[in-house]
């Protein structure tokens, strides 16, 4: 009986290992959450730039004036103040900053910019040329 080999871990060893994993997780997860939020906000800037390009192209192809509206949580394309739908909107992640809010850009039925020129979103500036070209700085 004194010759039995010991297999596995004791309860104390398992509890120590679990405690170490919990401690490392408690430190690492808040840092990872901040990185994830920054990445979401950076992606939102690119999505909004694509949405503005879509607004210019759609105004031209449908031969109807369109506007880009912004709030603190959403940027969308509207026609006569009516949203075109979910396919023409970008939901902004929490913590996003948008300036100005309301109607930001207006395109005529040929897709030319007739009002507005810049949008500040999450520390980046979206500049739009008269022909709907978007530059992110």
């Amino acid at each position: 009986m004194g010759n039995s080999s010991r297999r596995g871990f004791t309860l104390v060893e398992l509890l120590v290992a679990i405690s170490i994993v919990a401690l490392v997780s408690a430190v690492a997860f808040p840092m990872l959450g901040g990185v994830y939020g920054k990445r979401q906000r950076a992606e939102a800037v690119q999505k909004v730039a694509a949405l503005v390009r879509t607004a210019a192209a759609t105004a031209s192809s449908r031969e109807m004036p369109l506007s880009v509206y912004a709030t603190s949580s959403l940027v969308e394309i509207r026609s006569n103040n009516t949203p075109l739908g979910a396919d023409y909107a970008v939901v902004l992640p929490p913590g996003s900053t948008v300036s100005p809010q309301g109607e930001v850009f207006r395109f005529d039925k040929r897709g030319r910019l007739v009002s507005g020129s810049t949008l500040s979103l999450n520390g980046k500036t979206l500049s739009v040329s008269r022909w709907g070209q978007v530059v992110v700085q």
Side-chain angles (χ1 to χ4, degrees), residues 85-116:
D87 291 340
Y88 297 95
V90 174
V91 176
L92 302 176
S96 292
T97 56
V98 180
S99 178
Q101 294 188 17
E103 184 181 73
V104 181
F105 307 110
R106 184 180 306 149
F107 296 95
D108 68 12
K109 66 181 184 177
R110 287 178 270 172
R112 290 188 302 186
L113 184 68
V114 293
S115 72

Side-chain angles (χ1 to χ4, degrees), residues 1-136:
M1 286 220 201
N3 219 4
S4 68
S5 63
R6 184 174 155 216
R7 300 176 107 184
F9 299 102
T10 66
L11 180 59
V12 172
E13 291 169 330
L14 287 173
L15 289 175
V16 168
I18 290 171
S19 298
I20 291 170
V21 169
L23 182 64
V24 169
S25 297
V27 170
F29 281 145
M31 287 190 271
L32 293 176
V35 170
Y36 181 69
K38 285 180 185 177
R39 185 176 59 85
Q40 279 186 319
R41 289 187 292 277
E43 286 177 359
V45 170
Q46 295 304 316
K47 288 179 182 179
V48 169
L51 184 73
V52 173
R53 289 183 196 101
T54 299
T58 304
S60 177
S61 66
R62 292 187 182 184
E63 296 185 353
M64 60 190 278
L66 295 175
S67 299
V68 176
Y69 276 73
T71 67
S72 60
S73 61
L74 181 74
V75 178
E76 64 185 350
I77 300 173
R78 294 183 180 182
S79 172
N80 295 325
N81 210 22
T82 303
L84 294 186
D87 291 340
Y88 297 95
V90 174
V91 176
L92 302 176
S96 292
T97 56
V98 180
S99 178
Q101 294 188 17
E103 184 181 73
V104 181
F105 307 110
R106 184 180 306 149
F107 296 95
D108 68 12
K109 66 181 184 177
R110 287 178 270 172
R112 290 188 302 186
L113 184 68
V114 293
S115 72
S117 62
T118 61
L119 170 67
S120 177
L121 176 61
N122 297 329
K124 299 285 186 180
T125 300
L126 282 74
S127 301
V128 181
S129 74
R130 180 172 168 91
W131 297 102
Q133 294 173 329
V134 181
V135 176
V136 179

